[in-house]
Amino acid sequence: MIFGHKTDIEKLLPYVSEDLQKALKYLAATDFSKVPNGRYELDGEKMYANVDTYTTEDSSKKKPEAHNKYIDVQYLGKGSEKIYFAPRTADVKVVEDYAAERDLLFFENIAEKDSVVLNAGDFAVLFPWELHRPGCNADGTPSDVQKIVVKIAVK
């Protein structure tokens, strides 16, 4: 996982792939307060952004997830949320498989040791080998968030 703030994107760009550069530049250049919910193609199916608003929930109501075909760049336009994460190992059991239609797998409950709190302007890059449980309350109370997820196809 890579974690950072919008103001640090320029420092990160020389160290990441061309596709990740494009996604991060999009996040840095866009005023999401003026972007309605929806899907926005940046490079067809190779790269697109989903903009959504929702209220965070207790982590017990969220399931660990992962993707096979896409890297997630999760960015908060407003609000605060906690994302738990852990390595995706062979012993973790898939409990819901939507890989064919939505590139989404949900896994059995695991005890993640690591987490990151995203506040407005923060981003996290999550790779296919990482389980993540996004949308969780950051401080024990629900928060209204605007979440932008840029999906980057894995080559």
Side-chain angles (χ1 to χ4, degrees):
M1 191 215 356
I2 300 171
F3 171 75
H5 189 270
K6 185 177 187 171
T7 57
D8 295 324
I9 287 175
E10 282 298 319
K11 292 184 233 173
L12 181 60
L13 293 178
Y15 304 100
V16 299
S17 72
E18 198 174 294
D19 286 339
L20 187 49
Q21 286 181 22
K22 183 175 181 175
L24 292 170
K25 287 178 181 178
Y26 167 74
L27 294 174
T30 305
D31 178 358
F32 288 101
S33 68
K34 298 177 179 162
V35 178
N37 289 348
R39 178 180 161 139
Y40 300 88
E41 290 191 8
L42 305 176
D43 191 1
E45 288 298 309
K46 184 178 174 185
M47 186 183 307
Y48 60 91
N50 290 319
V51 178
D52 196 16
T53 52
Y54 58 86
T55 302
T56 60
E57 298 181 291
D58 186 81
S59 62
S60 66
K61 296 182 179 181
K62 307 302 259 178
K63 298 176 198 160
E65 64 182 63
H67 315 283
N68 294 328
K69 298 177 185 175
Y70 287 92
I71 296 167
D72 272 5
V73 183
Q74 299 197 12
Y75 174 82
L76 274 196
K78 74 170 189 173
S80 182
E81 88 171 37
K82 184 178 273 190
I83 300 175
Y84 293 90
F85 61 96
R88 181 178 174 180
T89 57
D91 61 328
V92 182
K93 182 181 170 192
V94 174
V95 293
E96 294 178 50
D97 185 342
Y98 305 103
E101 58 275 0
R102 295 177 31 213
D103 188 41
L104 177 62
L105 298 158
F106 288 112
F107 292 81
E108 65 188 351
N109 235 349
I110 59 169
E112 302 100 328
K113 292 184 239 169
D114 298 309
S115 65
V116 63
V117 173
L118 298 184
N119 294 299
D122 290 337
F123 66 89
V125 181
L126 297 147
F127 297 92
W129 59 84
E130 295 172 308
L131 296 177
H132 51 285
R133 188 189 310 239
C136 300
N137 297 338
D139 60 4
T141 58
S143 175
D144 292 331
V145 300
Q146 180 195 42
K147 169 75 93 47
I148 296 85
V149 179
V150 179
K151 306 291 275 184
I152 303 170
V154 176
K155 296 180 181 186

